[in-house]
Amino acid sequence: MDSVDLHVLRAAIDWLEQGHRVALATVVKTWGSAPRPPGSWLAMRADGQLAGSVSGGCVEDDLIAQLRDNRLATDTPGLIAYGVRKEEAARFGLPCGGQLQLLLEPRPDIRVLRAMLAAIERRELFARRVDLQTGDATLLPAQRNDTLQFDGKQLVTIHGPSQRLLVIGAGQISHFLAQMAQALNYEIIVCDPREEYRQGWQVPGVQLLACMPDDAVKQLQMDANSAVVALTHDPKLDDMALLEALKSPAIYVGALGSRANNAKRRERLRLFDLSEAEISRLHGPVGLPIGSRTPPEIAVAILAEMTALRHGITLQAAPSRQPEAQLRQVALKLA
């Protein structure tokens, strides 16, 4: 499953190779309840085709109109703001108080776009720097904790896998989890010492390790932009990885299994050199309680919980639901 960056780049390169007029727009700053965060971008053709987004749609329509009417005839980038006035916010469908500032690049360099595409396909993390005076774009190395920078003269955006996910086990759930996580810009590493599981792995763009999971956690030096999810159901593999992961700065550590099995797992972890604070970091059962049953549903629940945690959102457990038969009995008693 492709990331947004890949979608935008492939479309822009394809259109330019076909001889179309193409422009790029990137969200530079936002105020209030803006629909898309800084760094969001889109490629657009003069005939109205788009890839990516910077808002809910109305802003894109105005940008296409400017491109079609040749109001973006300059060769150098420029800034444009939306939602500054209340009536303008209403016109462009922005939330109450929402404003956004965009950098428009009317003539992107296809050579730079091709270099970006190749780097992302290699799962490399890099920065793209755009000089607003000259329009020149250059690619630079980046670190996982780097963020978008804009000083009015240069815009630096981060591209590639800015988060890292270590998955213990190469089973069916791991397949769906890896595919979905790639679209969220995760670098995916799957560790499984079991040869029969590694032979069945079919997700491209994923690093596959054959070492013991605890060794993988230590070798990868998990940081605050990393997550570890144990999915083998085998305590010999999962628990050893969790022992190391819970001591690391990893932002998310989760393990598959029922509440009863995870309670037993926590008791086993207490036998080792882990503090109660470290054990409390374990998300088990892994993922949000959305009633997931199938492997893709479980993958959705895991990534939803990881995303909420990464954005600082605290979620409460979903209330239990009584079977329909019990609800009917309650209704009859109340009647």
Side-chain angles (χ1 to χ4, degrees):
M1 187 178 293
D2 290 342
S3 67
V4 174
D5 278 356
L6 276 174
H7 177 58
V8 172
L9 285 168
R10 285 172 176 162
I13 292 169
D14 185 52
W15 294 339
L16 287 168
E17 289 176 343
Q18 294 175 20
H20 290 282
R21 174 80 185 278
V22 176
L24 298 178
T26 305
V27 179
V28 173
K29 290 183 180 179
T30 63
W31 297 266
S33 302
R36 299 286 282 125
S40 302
W41 64 331
L42 66 84
M44 49 189 171
R45 272 171 40 174
D47 61 0
Q49 290 202 38
L50 299 172
S53 66
V54 294
S55 78
C58 294
V59 166
E60 284 85 348
D61 290 344
D62 185 69
L63 291 171
I64 285 294
Q66 293 196 49
L67 182 63
R68 183 174 54 245
D69 298 341
N70 208 32
R71 284 180 280 161
L72 301 179
T74 177
D75 290 337
T76 56
L79 297 171
I80 185 170
Y82 288 93
V84 176
R85 298 183 303 276
K86 184 177 180 179
E87 59 273 16
E88 188 180 63
R91 174 189 170 195
F92 293 111
L94 297 174
C96 181
Q99 300 176 28
L100 69 158
Q101 186 179 43
L102 305 178
L103 173 66
L104 301 181
E105 297 174 70
R107 300 188 185 278
D109 189 334
I110 191 172
R111 296 169 299 177
V112 175
L113 299 183
R114 286 170 175 160
M116 293 178 69
L117 178 61
I120 291 177
E121 289 179 334
R122 293 192 300 266
R123 306 298 294 168
E124 295 178 0
L125 182 65
F126 62 94
R128 175 175 178 259
R129 182 175 62 198
V130 180
D131 188 312
L132 272 66
Q133 291 184 332
T134 65
D136 293 338
T138 54
L139 304 186
L140 308 167
Q143 304 298 320
R144 292 189 189 280
N145 58 350
D146 289 345
T147 58
L148 180 146
Q149 302 293 325
F150 179 64
D151 61 2
K153 298 179 181 179
Q154 293 184 337
L155 172 66
V156 178
T157 52
I158 309 302
H159 302 271
S162 54
Q163 292 92 227
R164 181 171 50 170
L165 171 60
L166 172 62
V167 181
I168 309 304
Q172 191 178 30
I173 296 175
S174 301
H175 279 73
F176 289 101
L177 181 61
Q179 290 174 331
M180 295 178 189
Q182 284 180 331
L184 297 177
N185 255 355
Y186 280 90
E187 175 191 1
I188 317 297
I189 306 104
V190 173
C191 178
D192 201 324
R194 303 168 298 182
E195 183 178 358
E196 63 273 19
Y197 281 86
R198 295 197 309 275
Q199 288 178 344
W201 186 258
Q202 298 179 348
V203 181
V206 174
Q207 183 182 358
L208 192 59
L209 303 179
C211 61
M212 291 301 293
D214 54 325
D215 291 333
V217 176
K218 289 184 286 188
Q219 291 170 11
L220 291 170
Q221 297 181 340
M222 311 306 289
D223 56 22
N225 291 305
S226 302
V228 180
V229 177
L231 300 176
T232 72
H233 261 314
D234 184 344
K236 297 189 300 294
L237 300 177
D238 288 348
D239 288 7
M240 297 307 294
L242 296 173
L243 277 171
E244 298 300 329
L246 291 170
K247 292 185 289 187
S248 77
I251 188 172
Y252 183 90
V253 180
L256 189 67
S258 65
R259 293 186 183 278
N261 285 336
N262 272 285
K264 295 176 182 178
R265 175 179 284 116
R266 288 181 173 86
E267 290 302 319
R268 293 194 300 269
L269 293 174
R270 289 187 176 93
L271 300 177
F272 297 89
D273 60 338
L274 288 177
S275 67
E276 284 299 319
E278 289 170 333
I279 294 174
S280 68
R281 296 183 58 227
L282 176 63
H283 292 264
V286 70
L288 293 181
I290 59 174
S292 52
R293 294 289 184 270
T294 66
E297 288 176 346
I298 294 171
V300 168
I302 293 170
L303 286 172
E305 187 172 46
M306 288 170 54
T307 302
L309 185 64
R310 188 160 52 84
H311 291 305
I313 305 299
T314 302
L315 299 171
Q316 296 179 348
S320 59
R321 294 183 177 178
Q322 294 175 290
E324 290 185 7
Q326 293 183 13
L327 290 176
R328 285 196 296 269
Q329 292 177 3
V330 172
L332 288 172
K333 290 179 181 180
L334 294 175

